Amino acid sequence: MLVYTLLILFAGAIQTFAARVQVTWDVVYLNISRDGISTWQAIGANGQLPIPPIYVTQGDILELTAINHLDKPVSLHSHGLFQRNTSYYDGAGLVTECGIPPGSQFTYIIETGDQSGTFWIHSHYGMEGIDGLRAALVIRDQDTQLLDEYDEDILLTLEDWGQAPLNSMVDMLKTTPLVKLIPNHPTVLINGINANILQPIRFTPGRRYRLRVISMSFTYWFKVRLPGHTLQVIEADGIYSQPSAADGLDMCPGQRYSVIITACESLEFNYALNVTFYSDFIPRSPGLNPRYHHVPIVYHKDAPTKKYPVIEDHEVNWADELAMEPRDELMLLEPVDQHIVLNVKVINSEMGLAIHAFGNYAYASVPVPPLLTALTTGNMALSPSVYAPQLNAIILQHNHV
């Protein structure tokens, strides 16, 4: 009985510290030059780009209200949140919702529950996320043991930023071969500004830094390295892992990592955080794909930057999320009730582009979100034939593995 009482008290203590965090985004068009190169009509919130990061604490409830001032629907997806029992707040346009109509507003009630870590929020309707409607979401931990593992928290967001709204680029693809669009490679933004004009990150000898890296990209990949330092990876995509040493991060669009970096003991040198911007599906082009940027890591304003020899990618110990061991040590769910095989194929789109698909159909939106179909068709919702073929619907049984 004493143990049971203590558990209740502990649970109550966590709830006591939980808060309702209210954030409002007035979603608007902005004529802006984020990279100092091109000015065009982007999409921001509250008259701002970049949109400031959102910080909440584990257990908090985030109430995110989107007021749509655009001339098209909007939706907001909290990337990496489980949305247990609240899939209607997932924000996937024409999948879990119809989108917020122009001139309307909607409040997403996002329960963080026991999740913590590094996430981001972006539009999941049309091209709006690529055109600017995206921001970091950090859920601070309540685990004091984890907080004791580092002294300072640094957020690093990585973005690809085009030279025009993506819709115009899609229109160009209808008539222009992809190789001729190479001069239109996007610019790299780090923490919302052109990667060529970054302010330095200051390190203090011996201090432990948690570096949260978010690839808020939609098409390109990023590689991140800090020669002279070891990256202790502790989180991948909002899941905490046992610490594992790596030399670098190879990040696809949407991916997130947290690493702990222990600063060198000496003030003798400064260093450079190397960020490589690249794409495998676009032909290589010197100075454009791949592209190299360097974030100054400053120990002392008068110290020289230490030089390291160039090494090949295959010589780098890249973080491997598939090999990481979860910190909560949960066992695999067994036995397996249902095996699903997804055949990935490359098919030609209507624009003549090679695109990836599961089976014979590439995903395409449908007039009625499948979540609404599932909720309104009774027992017929258990039949894949109720859903459009381009959805590649797979039916799962409740509590099956």
Side-chain angles (χ1 to χ4, degrees), residues 264-286:
C264 301
E265 293 294 342
S266 171
L267 294 172
E268 183 180 2
F269 292 106
N270 295 325
Y271 298 83
L273 181 74
N274 299 331
V275 177
T276 303
F277 179 67
Y278 76 101
S279 173
D280 285 335
F281 68 87
I282 294 176
R284 292 176 66 91
S285 177

Side-chain angles (χ1 to χ4, degrees), residues 26 44 55 80 88 156 172 180 247 280 298 300 324 366 392:
D26 277 299
Y55 289 89
Y88 40 83
L156 197 73
M172 290 176 64
K180 291 186 178 180
D247 297 325
D280 285 335
V298 174
H300 191 279
M324 295 177 188
V366 292
N392 289 292

Side-chain angles (χ1 to χ4, degrees), residues 143-203:
D143 183 350
T144 55
Q145 180 178 351
L146 180 62
L147 295 174
D148 287 341
E149 295 179 10
Y150 58 93
D151 305 304
E152 190 172 332
D153 207 320
I154 298 174
L155 179 63
L156 197 73
T157 61
L158 309 173
E159 300 177 68
D160 49 0
W161 189 249
Q163 297 180 23
L166 191 65
N167 273 330
S168 65
M169 299 296 291
V170 171
D171 291 340
M172 290 176 64
L173 280 171
K174 295 177 181 179
T175 57
T176 307
L178 182 62
V179 68
K180 291 186 178 180
L181 292 179
I182 286 177
N184 295 301
H185 275 288
T187 304
V188 178
L189 303 179
I190 299 181
N191 286 348
I193 62 174
N194 190 314
N196 291 318
I197 53 174
L198 285 173
Q199 294 297 313
I201 297 174
R202 301 195 177 276
F203 272 19

Side-chain angles (χ1 to χ4, degrees), residues 177-250:
L178 182 62
V179 68
K180 291 186 178 180
L181 292 179
I182 286 177
N184 295 301
H185 275 288
T187 304
V188 178
L189 303 179
I190 299 181
N191 286 348
I193 62 174
N194 190 314
N196 291 318
I197 53 174
L198 285 173
Q199 294 297 313
I201 297 174
R202 301 195 177 276
F203 272 19
T204 300
R207 195 165 173 83
R208 301 165 302 171
Y209 296 89
R210 176 177 180 169
L211 182 65
R212 301 177 188 261
V213 188
I214 308 177
S215 173
M216 301 200 311
S217 167
F218 281 83
T219 53
Y220 284 69
W221 290 51
F222 289 95
K223 292 177 180 176
V224 180
R225 296 183 57 235
L226 180 53
H229 301 73
T230 299
L231 312 182
Q232 288 290 341
V233 183
I234 62 166
E235 177 206 357
D237 297 330
I239 303 298
Y240 284 101
S241 64
Q242 300 293 346
S244 56
D247 297 325
L249 310 174
D250 191 1

Side-chain angles (χ1 to χ4, degrees), residues 2-38:
L2 177 60
V3 173
Y4 181 70
T5 303
L6 289 173
L7 287 173
I8 291 177
L9 289 173
F10 181 72
I14 292 179
Q15 293 177 358
T16 299
F17 289 108
R20 298 185 82 90
V21 179
Q22 297 179 330
V23 176
T24 297
W25 282 3
D26 277 299
V27 180
V28 295
Y29 290 116
L30 293 170
N31 285 314
I32 191 171
S33 175
R34 297 188 66 193
D35 56 8
I37 299 172
S38 54

Side-chain angles (χ1 to χ4, degrees), residues 63-364:
E63 296 182 1
L64 177 58
T65 299
I67 304 173
N68 184 7
H69 297 281
L70 308 183
D71 56 1
K72 55 188 175 181
V74 165
S75 71
L76 296 178
H77 171 64
S78 299
H79 197 114
L81 273 293
F82 293 150
Q83 300 287 4
R84 293 189 181 98
N85 300 316
T86 57
S87 55
Y88 40 83
Y89 287 135
D90 191 53
L94 297 179
V95 177
T96 62
E97 66 170 76
C98 295
I100 306 167
S104 301
Q105 68 180 59
F106 183 75
T107 299
Y108 294 89
I109 300 177
I110 303 164
E111 299 185 13
T112 61
D114 59 359
Q115 285 192 264
S116 61
T118 310
F119 307 87
W120 62 305
I121 295 175
H122 58 86
S123 177
H124 214 303
Y125 200 106
M127 313 296 181
E128 296 154 0
I130 303 176
D131 289 345
L133 193 52
R134 52 191 176 189
L137 170 64
V138 173
I139 304 178
R140 299 186 182 96
D141 306 279
Q142 287 199 7
D143 183 350
T144 55
Q145 180 178 351
L146 180 62
L147 295 174
D148 287 341
E149 295 179 10
Y150 58 93
D151 305 304
E152 190 172 332
D153 207 320
I154 298 174
L155 179 63
L156 197 73
T157 61
L158 309 173
E159 300 177 68
D160 49 0
W161 189 249
Q163 297 180 23
L166 191 65
N167 273 330
S168 65
M169 299 296 291
V170 171
D171 291 340
M172 290 176 64
L173 280 171
K174 295 177 181 179
T175 57
T176 307
L178 182 62
V179 68
K180 291 186 178 180
L181 292 179
I182 286 177
N184 295 301
H185 275 288
T187 304
V188 178
L189 303 179
I190 299 181
N191 286 348
I193 62 174
N194 190 314
N196 291 318
I197 53 174
L198 285 173
Q199 294 297 313
I201 297 174
R202 301 195 177 276
F203 272 19
T204 300
R207 195 165 173 83
R208 301 165 302 171
Y209 296 89
R210 176 177 180 169
L211 182 65
R212 301 177 188 261
V213 188
I214 308 177
S215 173
M216 301 200 311
S217 167
F218 281 83
T219 53
Y220 284 69
W221 290 51
F222 289 95
K223 292 177 180 176
V224 180
R225 296 183 57 235
L226 180 53
H229 301 73
T230 299
L231 312 182
Q232 288 290 341
V233 183
I234 62 166
E235 177 206 357
D237 297 330
I239 303 298
Y240 284 101
S241 64
Q242 300 293 346
S244 56
D247 297 325
L249 310 174
D250 191 1
M251 304 180 67
C252 67
Q255 198 167 12
R256 296 97 59 210
Y257 278 108
S258 280
V259 299
I260 294 177
I261 303 170
T262 300
C264 301
E265 293 294 342
S266 171
L267 294 172
E268 183 180 2
F269 292 106
N270 295 325
Y271 298 83
L273 181 74
N274 299 331
V275 177
T276 303
F277 179 67
Y278 76 101
S279 173
D280 285 335
F281 68 87
I282 294 176
R284 292 176 66 91
S285 177
L288 293 172
N289 182 33
R291 197 177 317 156
Y292 305 98
H293 296 278
H294 308 284
V295 182
I297 304 296
V298 174
Y299 282 79
H300 191 279
K301 63 182 180 63
D302 296 324
T305 299
K306 189 167 186 177
K307 305 296 183 182
Y308 287 88
V310 176
I311 61 175
E312 299 295 329
D313 278 358
H314 68 268
E315 301 177 81
V316 177
N317 174 29
W318 298 105
D320 181 2
E321 68 273 21
L322 296 180
M324 295 177 188
E325 299 180 6
R327 189 173 287 228
D328 58 18
E329 298 183 342
L330 289 178
M331 303 298 293
L332 290 174
L333 295 176
E334 293 179 328
V336 174
D337 301 299
Q338 183 175 356
H339 291 270
I340 298 172
V341 177
L342 298 175
N343 293 311
V344 180
K345 301 175 69 174
V346 177
I347 63 176
N348 288 323
S349 71
E350 294 178 356
M351 295 187 295
L353 296 175
I355 57 176
H356 290 84
F358 291 126
N360 295 318
Y361 296 97
Y363 173 79

